[in-house]
Amino acid sequence: MSLDWQPKIVGFTCNWCSYAGADLAGTSRMSYPASVRIIRVPCSGRINPVFVIRAFQRGADGVLVAGCHPGDCHYSTGNMYARRRFQVARRFMEYLGMDPARLEIHWISASEGQKFQEVIRNMTDRIRAMGPNRKMREIL
Amino acid sequence: MNDLREQLREAVASAFSQGRVRSFVCLEKGFYPFASIPAILHSGSEADRVQLGLSDAPLLAKYLLDAPKPAGIVVRQCDALGVSRLIRDRRVKREDLYIVSVSCPGVVDTAKIPVSPYQITALENAGDALLVHTALGRTELPWASVLLDRCLSCVSGSASPDADVVLEGEKEKLPAPVDYSGIDKVEHMTPDERYAMWEKEFAKCIRCFACRNACPACSCRKCSLDLAEPEWLSPAVTLPEQFMFHFTRAYHVAGRCVGCGECERACPVGLPLMKLNRKFTRDIETLFGVDDARIPRDVEVLGTFLPDDPEEFC
Amino acid sequence: MIRIGVFVCWCGSNIAGTVDVGKVAEESAKMPGVVHVEQNKYTCSDPGQDSIRKAIKEHRLDRVVVAACSPRMHEMTFRKCAASAGLNQYLVEMANIREHCSWVHSDMSVATPKAVDIVRRAVAKVKRSVPLFPSTIPVEKRALVIGGGIAGIQAALDIAEAGYEVTIVEREPTIGGRMAQLDKTFPTLDCSSCILTPKMVDAASHPGIRILTCSEVEDISGYVGNFQVRLRKRARSIDEARCTACGICISKCPTSRDSEFNMGLGTRKAIYMPFPQAVPNKPTIDREICRHFTEGKCGICQKVCPSGAVDFSQEDQVLNEKFGAVVAATGATQFSVEAYGEYGYGRYPDVITGLELERLISSTGPTDGKIRRPSDGRIPRTVVFIKCVGSRDENKGYPYCSKACCMYTAKHAILLKEKIPGASAYVFYMDVRAGGKDYEEFYQRSQEIGTRYVRGRVSRIYPLDGKLIVQGEDTLLGQRVEVEADLVVLAAAMVPQIDAPEMARKLGISYNQYGFFSEAHPKLRPVETNTAGVFLAGTCQGPKDIPETVAQASAAAVKVISLFAKSELTTNPNVASVDESLCSGCLWCMNVCPYKAIEEKIITERAGKETVTRSVASVNTGLCQGCGACTVACRDGAMNLLGFTNEQILAEVEALCL
Amino acid sequence: MGYAYYPGCSLHGTAKEYDMSSRACLDFLGIEYRELPDWSCCGASSAHSVDHTLAVSLPARNLILAEQMNLPLMTPCTACYSRLRGAHHALRSDPGLARKVLTALGSEYKGRYEPLSILDVLYQYGPEAVGEKVTKKLKELKVACYYGCLLLRPPEYADFDDPENPGKMERLVETTGARAVDWPHRTECCGASLSLSDTKLVVSLATFIVDMAARHGAECIVTACPMCQANLDMRQRGRTKLPVYYVTELLGLAFGLEPKRLGLTTHMVNAMGLLRAKQLA
C-alpha cells in the first residue's frame, strides 16, 4: 500500500459536542489528515449501529462515532444509550471479523478541538497501516 | 405420559366449553407418524387433535399472532419464554391469553436419530431411553443424545407457574446451563479467521427469512428489512448484504432473545444463528448484568442505562 | 422534479486559498438533481444572499446547498435567506468546507476532493429533505410553584410581580419551609424569621398569589404552556374564612404529640399551628390523633370556638387546573443520622442534629431560646460539633458535600458562645469549606472567639458519668482525642426528600443518583430541566444555602416570566415522527425518551373484514426536543427524526463512501 | 440437614475450651454437625496481609469441601468466619479471581451456602428455643457482651449484626437468665493482631476494655472470638480482674453441663471463682 493512500473514514458526530469540537479544530487551524468525512446528527443517541455497517459496506475504511462526554449530553441521556448500544454492537462487529481498529468511539466535547485532531490523526495512522478495508464491503 | 395428554385434551375442551377462548394454539399429528406440527383449533370438538409433541415440536408462541383472541395456548418452559416475550413486546395481551403450561421431558430431534425418518414407524419415550421402532425392529438410544439443542440448555423442564392451568407430568428435564463453548471458540480466533468463517456460513444463506419468522422476539408487524425506502437491506443476495442482514437480525433481538434456538432449527441451510444471538446475550450479561434492582423489570437492557455503566470509550 | 442549487463560497481566501472552488463547482454541477451552481466571494454577505434569492426564483430551485462554513455558524442565516425567497427554510443544507476542510488542510490537491465529497453529502441529504413547518402552541399564563419554602415564596413573588398569576402548593399547614425553623442566618446573624415572615406575609397578601397549604400535586400531564395538574387539598377541618386565629381551640385541646416543627423536642396539640407566625394563620386538625376522629369522642375545640370555624365534616378537595409553567421548589430534608451507630443518635438523648439545635436556640423553640440538654435540661458547658454526617461519606451516607454545614456549624459555635458565655465548643471537621461572600471571615470569627477546630473524624461517642465521651482523631497532630462533652451536635447532610423520585416522575424530569432533580445543563441551563416549562429552585436540585436558593428562585422566576411574555410558543419541527403503518406498538421508544414526549395512542383500522384497534407510539411535538434516541430503539423503522431521517443519513453514508 | 463444623487452628490450641464448649452445646441442643474432613488452615491472619489470591484460595478449599458434602459450613472462630465469608464473597463477586482460584483448586464452587458463625447457627435454632433448654438460670450474673471486630467488620461480608450497635449476642446470653449490661465498647478493637509485636499497646487496649465493662457494672465478659478471649484474658492489667467467657461456655453452664467439660478450668483469669461465688458452679 502506498504511503500516500488516504483511508476513508466516516465520522458520525453529535451536533452539540463533537461536531463543534471538529469546528473548533478548524477555527484553531489544527491540521489533520483529509481522511474523515463528517455526518452531523443531533445526538450520539441518534446513531444506529446499522449505519456503521452500511458505511463499511459502501466502502469506508474506518468509522468514527463521537458524542458528548457521558454526563454532558445536550439531551442529558442520549450518549448513555449510545454507550450501551455501541459497547455490544462493537463487540459483535468484531465477532463477525471486523478489525477492532476500524471502528472507534470517542467522547469529544466542543472544547476539545485538539482531541478531535488527535483522534483523526491516530485513527488514520492505524488504518493506513492496515490498508483498505475489504470486509463486508461491496465490490465497487 | 398419556395421562398428561388426556389432561391436556380436557383442559383444551373445557376452555372452549367455558367460553374462555375462541381459538387454541397447540400441537397436532403431522406428516410423520411421530412428529408434531402446530395447529390452531377453533372449537372444543377439535380437542382430540391435541398432541404433547414427543419429537420435533415447533415453538407455538408466534402462532398466537394469528389466532383469534382470546386464544389459548399450550406452553412448555421454552414456549412460555416466547409468550412472555410477545407480551413484553406488547404484541399480545396477557388478558387475551389462556395459558396451559405442561412439564416437559425434552423434545426429540429426529435429525439426531441415526435412522431415516421414512423408516421410523413409531417413537416411544422409555424413561432414560428413546425407543425407535422401524419395520425391521427396535433401536434404543440414550434419551439425552436425541434431544433438540434447545432442550440441552433448558432453563426448566417443569411447567411454567404463570399459567391459567398447570399440568405436571411424571418426568421432567433437569435444567442445564447454556453452553457458551462455541462462542469461546469463535472469540479465540483472529479477526480474519472469524470473518472467513462467517463469510463461509453466510454464503449459504438464501435469505428465506425463516429465522425471523420462527423467532418470538421478531414480531414486528412489518419488518424494517422488507422496506424499499429506506433500503436498510438490499434484495441483492451479496455477501456484504448477508452481513448486513445477519447483523441487523441479531442486533434487533439483542437483549431480547429468549434462547429458544427456534431460528437455528428453522434455518434450512443450517446456519449457527444461536452463536450470533448468544454472543449478544453473554456480552450484555457481563457488561450490564441483568438483575440491577435500579432497572424496572419491564425495561429492556438496551433500552435503558445506568450512570455507572462500564466505560470503555474515551 | 428536484431542482437543487449549490452555492460554493470562497469565504475570501479562507476557503478559496486551500480548496479549488472552481473545481468543486464543476463537480457539483455533475451531481444528480443539481440544476444550478454558483460561486460567491462571501455568500453570507448581502450580495451573496441576494444571489441565492435571485437564483431560487430564476432557476425555480426547490432545494439549496450552501458549501461554506459550519452550519453552527450560518445555517440560520441561509435558512432565513431562502425563506425570504419563498422556499421552505428546512430545504437548505450546508456543506461545511471551511472548518472541516479548508482550515485544517493545506494541500489543495487533498482538500479539493474532500470538499467535493462534503458537497455530495449535502446534496444527497437535501434531496431527501421535505418542507417542515414549525407549529405554535398557546401558553396558559399561570404558574404553579410546588413547595412553599423560601425558594417557592421568592419565585412566586417575582412571577406575581411581573403580573402573572401564581399558585403555591405546600403540603404542610403553613408556608415557610426549613428556613422558618432556623434561628439566625449566616454570615450576618440576622434572625431568620425576621427576614422570612415579612416575605410570607407579602406572598399571602399579594393579589396575584394563591396559597394552597395542606395540598399536594397528584398528577401532571401536558407540556410546556399547557400543563394539566391535579391537586389535592387535604381537609383542614377548619373553615378558614371564619377562623379568627384566636387560639382558644389550641389551648383547650386535650391531645398532643411531638412537634414536627420543633424536631420532636417539644409537643403540639391535635389542633395546632406549627408556629405562631404561620401563614395562613389558621389552625389545622391532625386527624391521625384527634380524639374526635380516633375515638369519635371529644369536640372541645368546636365547643369553644367563638366563630364556629371548626368543621369536622370537611372533605379533601380535588382541583384540576391548567398551568403554563411549573417551578419545583420541593426542598430537601435531613439525613437520618441513625445510620451512624457509633454516634449513638437515638440512644443518647444529648446527641442531637443541627436542626434540633436550631430549635433549642430559637426563642420560639421548646426551651424559649435557652440551650438546654434534652436529657436533663442542664445548660451544656462543652459542646462537640461533628461535621459531614451523611455527606462526603460513601460508606454510610452520600459522597457529595452538603455545602451549608460548614457555615451553619460555625454559626452554631458563635451562637453557643453568645448564649452561654464561657462554654467551649469543639468542631470535628474534614475540611472547612467557606467559599462565599463573607463566609471565610465568618468562619475565622468563630475561631477567634475560641472554637476549637479538630481536623478528624469521631469514631465513637459513649456516655460516662453523665457526660458524653467523644473519641476521635486529630489527624493534624496524629493523636487520639477524647472530649468530655455535655452535648453533641451532628451536622446532618441535606438529602433529597424521600418522595423526590416520585415527584420527578410526575414532573417528567430526571434526577441524579441521590434523588436531587437534574438541571438541563450544569453550567448553562442551571434552573431549567429537560422538560420544557419545568424549572428548579432551591435544595430540590442540590444542597445549597439561603442566598443561593433565593438567587436560583429568582432565576427560575425570570425563566417563567420570559416564557409567559410570549403569546405563543414556536416548536422546533425537527422532531420525531411515527409511521403508524409500521409501528408494532412495543413502545420501547417511550422508555428511551428523556422528555416523556412519547405516549401510547390507540388507533382503529380495517384488517380484512374486521375492524381492529391497536396501539402505536405517538409523539407530542410540544415536548419532543429532537434527540433521536427513539429512532435507534425502534426496530420496526417506524420512528424517524424529521430533518435527520434514516433515509437522509443512509444517503449521506452512501454519498460519502462513493 | 446439618452443618459442616470447621474448628480452625485456634480451637485446637489456645481456644481448646471454645471447641469443647461449642461441641458440648451443639450436642446438647441436638444440632447435627460433622467436622469437615481434611480441613486446612483458613489463612488468617497472615495470608490476607500478603497475597489476596492466597487469602481467597486457602478458605476456598474448605468452602468447596463443605459444598461437596452439601452442607453449610459453620465455624466458632471469628477469624475463620471472617476469612471464609471474605472468600465466599470474593468468589461470587469477582469472576476473574474465581476462575483463577478454582482452576488452581481444580474444582467448582457454586456458593450455595453462606458460611456461618456458630452464633448464626444458634440463631437459626432460635433464641427462644435455646432459652427453653436452659435448666440452670444464670441469675444475678452481669455480663458484658464483647463482639470485637471480626464478626462485624467489614460489613460487606462480615455482617453478623449491626457493625456499630449490635445486639444479637446480648439476646442469646439473656436467654440464660444473665443480664447483659449496656456498655458502649462492645465493638472496640482488642488489638489481638499486635499481641506479640506490640504488647504494651495491646495491654492498654485490653485493660481499657475490661475497665469499661467493669465501670458499666459487668462482672464478666462474654465473647465469641478466640483472639479476643485470649487477649483480654491474658492482657488485662486493671484493678478489677474480670473473667472472660466464651458464649458457649455460659450457654453450656446454663444447660447444666459440667464446667470441666466446657473447659472452664483452663482460663487465665480464674473463671470458676465468680461462678462459685454466685453459686452457679
Side-chain angles (χ1 to χ4, degrees), chain C residues 411-446:
Chain C
K411 175 187 79 177
H412 286 162
I414 292 173
L415 292 176
L416 175 76
K417 297 259 181 179
E418 260 177 29
K419 294 253 174 183
I420 311 170
S424 51
Y426 294 82
V427 177
F428 281 86
Y429 72 101
M430 299 207 285
D431 294 287
V432 175
R433 296 181 167 181
K437 194 178 179 190
D438 297 332
Y439 285 10
E440 176 67 17
E441 296 91 319
F442 186 74
Y443 154 61
Q444 294 290 349
R445 194 173 132 204
S446 81

Side-chain angles (χ1 to χ4, degrees), chain C residues 563-579:
Chain C
L563 180 69
F564 287 177
K566 298 176 198 128
S567 53
E568 299 186 306
L569 297 174
T570 308
T571 59
N572 164 22
N574 293 132
V575 290
S577 141
V578 184
D579 183 339

Side-chain angles (χ1 to χ4, degrees), chain D residues 149-210:
Chain D
C149 326
L150 295 165
L151 269 177
L152 306 173
R153 288 188 291 267
E156 286 74 38
Y157 55 81
D159 54 355
F160 171 68
D161 203 346
D162 183 311
E164 297 293 350
N165 188 25
K168 276 173 143 180
M169 208 192 299
E170 277 84 348
R171 224 183 123 203
L172 214 47
V173 165
E174 290 196 328
T175 61
T176 64
R179 192 168 70 75
V181 301
D182 185 17
W183 69 307
H185 293 80
R186 287 169 288 174
T187 61
E188 203 75 8
C189 170
C190 73
S193 64
L194 299 175
S195 196
L196 300 174
S197 50
D198 192 347
T199 313
K200 227 173 111 192
L201 174 77
V202 173
V203 164
S204 77
L205 286 172
T207 306
F208 173 72
I209 290 168
V210 175

Side-chain angles (χ1 to χ4, degrees), chain A residues 8 15 19-20 22-23 26-27 29-32 34 36-38 40 42-43 45-46 55 58 75-76 81 85, chain C residues 70-72 75 96 99-100 103-105 110 114 117 121 530 592 595 627 629 631-632 644 646 654 657-658:
Chain A
K8 198 168 275 182
N15 179 46
Y19 192 90
D23 274 0
T27 44
R29 310 296 198 278
M30 297 167 169
S31 75
Y32 52 81
V36 68
R37 308 279 188 277
I38 288 176
R40 183 169 69 120
C43 175
R46 173 69 186 95
R58 296 295 191 260
Y75 305 100
S76 84
Y81 294 114
R85 289 167 185 160
Chain C
S70 169
R72 295 172 56 85
E75 191 173 61
N96 183 351
E99 280 85 347
H100 290 186
W103 277 356
V104 289
H105 307 306
V110 173
K114 177 170 170 182
D117 278 357
R121 178 204 68 76
N530 279 321
V592 170
Y595 305 103
C627 71
T631 59
V632 186
F644 296 91
N646 291 326
E654 207 116 343
C657 293
L658 272 178

